[in-house]
């Protein structure tokens, strides 16, 4: 039972709207509503009885006057009458038939229900915008003198630029194969020129700004190299590829003895899995972070790394921007001399920077040759470190590792959503097989009774007691 869903039990319908924390219980008498209550969706307890009108809104809706919908239906038909013959002229008979059936079905749904699946693809007709006009966005509501701060701009700017082209590529395929009308192309994000027009003053923030940022700032860059804690960029060491795993194993064990953590980045998923498996076999406490892991689980893994539940974290492209792990004193980059996106100057600087939160921070690059990207990344890190060393010496500052709370707010909030069922099992630990059987039958009856009354917490507790008794029954047998 989750937001945006409903369930039916006999003559009782329970609805959990997507926009609030409480659910509704509708009790029926035949075809008539007998009563409506607001309930707690977890406990099933009634919090309020409704005696008058109660509006319940769908989890997604588009509010339009009927006149607007009628006008949209008319213009959609006109577009279909214009585009369908063009497909036939090109010899795309199947695509033309598919488009005709799809569009006519959508129009019929809009007439009868006021809604159809994929209605956003008709947004140009519903809003009355002209072909090619930009979509409305939150940026339209910002005052012209708003200061926009673009964090991690070396990643954000290319993503904003690519968002439009990715969307158009997918939509063009749908249009070409008769799944959508050409107007679907106008249901899109802003293109980059439109994005730039809507943001006035801006600050680009990045440890590795790209060519776009340098061009826009005319080379005027403000560097924040000195840290309040006196921490410096990590030392960088280049080691040969031959024997890299054995050397890395020794470094990991050394850091584990000092209660410090290690990040290891590889080029492929297979290599990460193999390395994790090998380290586990030689008694290194290691975990593997990859793109298949859900966001909350990633945060939980990073929290466990900081807590010391394991010492080494292996990853591919996730151990970069935004990771703030003061306990990490070593970053190891395998196959650092393989030029490409994962081993570019920007990627190397960002990855090595994960060790800059620790006073003993160090980065080891395993490579047989020094590539141009490696050289530029190491030169930049060395330059920053030299400036930091001079400043610390002149002001008598001793670098100190950042101290920050480990508990992750997001994970804590998620874990708090799940009720922990308490078990009192001491009184049934010494039951005989016959007593166990009788108790299971009694508890199953009580569990069903609680469920009928929507007392799900009590039912869940009895379910877990029954589960324990069945396991106990096997042991006794």
């Amino acid at each position: 039972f989750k937001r945006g869903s409903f369930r039916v039990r006999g003559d009782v319908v329970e609805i959990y709207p997507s926009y609030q924390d409480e659910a509704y219980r509708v009790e029926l008498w035949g075809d008539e509503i007998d009563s409506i209550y607001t309930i707690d969706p977890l406990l099933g307890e009634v919090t309020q009885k409704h005696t008058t009108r109660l509006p319940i809104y769908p989890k997604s809706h588009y509010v339009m006057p009927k006149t607007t919908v009628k006008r949209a239906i008319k213009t959609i038909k006109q577009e279909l009458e214009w585009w369908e013959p063009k497909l036939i002229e090109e010899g795309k008979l199947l695509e033309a038939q598919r488009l005709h059936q799809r569009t006519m079905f959508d129009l019929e749904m809009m007439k009868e229900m006021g809604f159809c699946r994929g209605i956003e693809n008709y947004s140009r007709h519903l809003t009355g915008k002209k072909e090619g006009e930009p979509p409305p966005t939150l940026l339209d509501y910002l005052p012209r003198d708003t200061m926009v701060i673009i964090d991690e701009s070396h990643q954000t700017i290319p993503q904003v630029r690519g968002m439009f082209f990715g969307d158009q590529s997918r939509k063009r395929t749908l249009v070409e194969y008769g799944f959508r009308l050409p107007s679907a192309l106008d249901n899109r994000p802003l293109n980059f020129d439109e994005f730039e027009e809507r943001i006035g003053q801006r600050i680009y923030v990045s440890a590795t700004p790209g060519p776009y940022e340098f061009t826009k700032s005319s080379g005027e860059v403000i560097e924040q190299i000195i840290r309040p804690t006196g921490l410096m960029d990590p030392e960088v060491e280049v080691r040969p590829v031959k024997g890299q795993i054995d050397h890395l194993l020794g470094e990991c064990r050394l850091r584990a003895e000092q209660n410090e953590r290690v990040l290891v980045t590889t080029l492929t998923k297979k290599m990460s899995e193999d390395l994790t498996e090998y380290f586990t076999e030689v008694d290194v406490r290691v975990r593997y972070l990859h793109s298949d892991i859900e966001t909350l689980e990633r945060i939980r893994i990073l929290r466990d790394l900081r807590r010391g539940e394991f010492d080494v974290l292996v990853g591919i492209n996730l151990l970069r921007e935004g990771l703030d792990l003061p306990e990490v004193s070593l970053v190891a980059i395998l196959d650092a001399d393989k030029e490409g996106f994962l081993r570019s100057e920007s990627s190397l600087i960002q990855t090595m920077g994960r060790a800059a939160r620790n006073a003993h921070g160090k980065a080891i690059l395993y490579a047989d040759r020094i590539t141009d990207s490696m050289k530029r990344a190491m030169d930049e890190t060395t330059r920053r470190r030299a400036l930091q060393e001079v400043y610390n010496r002149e002001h008598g500052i001793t670098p100190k590792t950042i101290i920050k709370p480990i508990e992750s707010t997001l994970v804590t909030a998620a874990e708090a959503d799940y009720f922990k069922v308490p078990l009192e099992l001491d009184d049934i630990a010494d039951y005989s097989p016959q007593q166990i059987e009788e108790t299971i039958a009694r508890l199953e009856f009580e569990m069903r009774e609680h469920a009928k009354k929507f007392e799900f917490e009590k039912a869940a507790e009895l379910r877990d007691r029954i589960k324990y008794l069945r396991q106990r029954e096997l042991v006794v047998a």
Side-chain angles (χ1 to χ4, degrees):
F1 195 41
K2 58 186 180 181
R3 290 190 184 198
S5 66
F6 70 94
R7 62 187 178 193
V8 181
R9 294 173 179 270
D11 290 336
V12 177
V13 180
E14 291 185 340
I15 305 158
Y16 196 169
S18 59
Y19 50 84
Q20 64 182 40
D21 295 328
E22 295 176 313
Y24 297 119
R25 179 180 296 161
V26 181
E27 295 182 352
L28 302 167
W29 180 259
D31 293 335
E32 295 183 0
I33 293 175
D34 186 49
S35 56
I36 302 177
Y37 303 97
T38 296
I39 62 168
D40 184 311
L42 178 64
L43 304 175
E45 295 174 353
V46 174
T47 58
Q48 183 185 354
K49 181 174 181 178
H50 298 275
T51 55
T52 57
R53 175 178 174 273
L54 174 70
I56 299 176
Y57 303 101
K59 64 178 180 178
S60 63
H61 53 268
Y62 299 80
V63 181
M64 289 276 171
K66 280 198 173 182
T67 52
T68 305
V69 176
K70 283 182 180 178
R71 188 202 68 214
I73 289 172
K74 183 180 177 182
T75 56
I76 292 168
K77 278 185 178 177
Q78 288 172 353
E79 187 183 6
L80 177 63
E81 289 167 2
W82 162 76
W83 183 246
E84 190 178 0
K86 284 185 175 291
L87 290 175
I88 294 171
E89 282 176 22
E90 293 174 12
K92 296 181 177 180
L93 300 178
L94 178 63
E95 287 83 351
Q97 185 184 18
R98 179 189 291 142
L99 180 68
H100 184 89
Q101 288 181 341
R102 177 70 174 263
T103 307
M104 295 309 292
F105 176 78
D106 288 347
L107 292 178
E108 195 64 32
M109 288 293 289
M110 287 167 70
K111 283 180 190 173
E112 298 299 323
M113 307 289 293
F115 180 84
C116 70
R117 289 191 66 179
I119 195 170
E120 65 276 3
N121 290 294
Y122 301 112
S123 59
R124 191 178 90 195
H125 298 280
L126 291 163
T127 58
K129 283 186 172 288
K130 294 178 182 176
E131 184 179 349
E133 273 194 76
T137 65
L138 289 175
L139 292 176
D140 296 326
Y141 295 88
L142 295 179
R144 294 304 303 169
D145 59 349
T146 299
M147 174 71 76
V148 178
I149 299 174
I150 302 177
D151 195 20
E152 302 292 2
S153 60
H154 66 285
Q155 290 274 28
T156 309
I157 293 298
Q159 284 176 4
V160 172
R161 194 192 301 273
M163 197 161 47
F164 171 78
F165 292 109
D167 176 82
Q168 292 295 286
S169 173
R170 185 175 63 85
K171 294 274 176 59
R172 281 197 189 92
T173 302
L174 293 175
V175 171
E176 286 173 14
Y177 287 91
F179 290 99
R180 288 292 169 198
L181 290 167
S183 57
L185 293 167
D186 285 321
N187 172 44
R188 61 175 177 83
L190 296 173
N191 62 43
F192 196 68
D193 291 336
E194 293 165 346
F195 171 75
E196 284 193 303
E197 287 170 10
R198 283 160 176 72
I199 56 172
Q201 305 175 82
R202 64 201 85 160
I203 297 176
Y204 303 102
V205 183
S206 174
T208 53
Y212 173 85
E213 294 95 299
F214 282 121
T215 304
K216 284 294 177 183
S217 61
S218 303
E220 292 290 327
V221 179
I222 297 171
E223 290 189 307
Q224 187 185 354
I225 292 176
I226 307 303
R227 297 184 175 94
T229 53
L231 284 172
M232 299 185 292
D233 277 39
E235 291 181 49
V236 182
E237 180 184 344
V238 180
R239 302 281 308 186
V241 171
K242 187 176 181 181
Q244 62 180 355
I245 302 302
D246 291 336
H247 181 267
L248 176 59
L249 180 59
E251 291 286 339
C252 291
R253 285 183 168 150
L254 183 63
R255 292 303 190 285
E257 288 170 7
Q258 296 168 355
N259 195 30
E260 294 171 349
R261 315 286 179 266
V262 180
L263 296 183
V264 181
T265 176
T266 67
L267 273 179
T268 64
K269 192 174 177 180
K270 181 75 168 65
M271 188 174 181
S272 289
E273 291 168 348
D274 292 345
L275 184 63
T276 304
E277 185 180 345
Y278 172 67
F279 272 14
T280 303
E281 288 173 359
V282 293
D283 297 327
V284 172
R285 298 189 305 166
V286 62
R287 292 286 296 277
Y288 165 40
L289 192 69
H290 54 87
S291 56
D292 295 339
I293 296 174
E294 296 291 332
T295 304
L296 269 177
E297 183 59 26
R298 289 183 204 172
I299 299 171
R300 197 174 279 116
I301 288 171
L302 294 172
R303 182 192 64 179
D304 292 345
L305 175 71
R306 294 196 61 204
R307 280 177 169 176
E309 295 186 15
F310 59 97
D311 303 310
V312 181
L313 182 61
V314 181
I316 304 169
N317 192 33
L318 300 175
L319 308 178
R320 289 177 50 182
E321 296 89 350
L323 281 192
D324 191 4
L325 308 169
E327 293 77 14
V328 171
S329 64
L330 175 64
V331 170
I333 303 175
L334 303 183
D335 298 313
D337 54 354
K338 301 291 190 292
E339 279 277 21
F341 170 69
L342 296 176
R343 296 295 180 264
S344 65
E345 176 192 354
S346 173
S347 293
L348 290 171
I349 291 174
Q350 289 286 351
T351 307
M352 291 189 293
R354 298 316 100 201
R357 272 73 170 171
N358 192 290
H360 309 115
K362 183 178 182 181
I364 300 178
L365 279 60
Y366 292 97
D368 287 332
R369 63 190 179 92
I370 296 179
T371 62
D372 292 340
S373 294
M374 284 175 63
K375 186 176 186 310
R376 288 194 298 270
M378 290 190 296
D379 288 348
E380 177 60 19
T381 304
T382 305
R383 181 186 74 84
R384 294 177 185 178
R385 185 177 173 85
L387 292 171
Q388 292 157 350
E389 275 182 325
V390 171
Y391 185 88
N392 288 352
R393 191 165 53 248
E394 288 177 353
H395 294 81
I397 296 174
T398 304
K400 292 182 181 178
T401 300
I402 294 172
I403 297 173
K404 58 180 282 190
I406 291 176
E407 200 57 49
S408 171
T409 309
L410 190 59
V411 171
T412 307
E415 288 176 346
D417 284 343
Y418 298 93
F419 176 75
K420 185 77 173 174
V421 177
L423 290 179
E424 297 170 4
L425 302 170
D426 295 341
D427 57 332
I428 58 176
D430 300 323
Y431 274 21
S432 65
Q434 186 179 350
Q435 287 175 305
I436 290 174
E437 200 61 46
E438 291 172 357
T439 306
I440 287 175
R442 177 174 57 82
L443 291 178
E444 282 182 339
F445 174 77
E446 290 177 12
M447 178 181 71
R448 291 193 182 94
E449 288 300 308
H450 284 302
K452 285 178 185 175
K453 297 174 185 175
F454 302 103
E455 296 170 345
F456 299 114
E457 280 190 10
K458 292 177 182 176
E461 184 177 349
L462 292 172
R463 176 203 63 201
D464 289 353
R465 289 168 71 90
I466 292 167
K467 185 178 177 183
Y468 172 81
L469 278 170
R470 291 202 186 284
Q471 291 172 345
R472 182 77 189 155
E473 190 176 29
L474 289 172
V475 172
V476 172

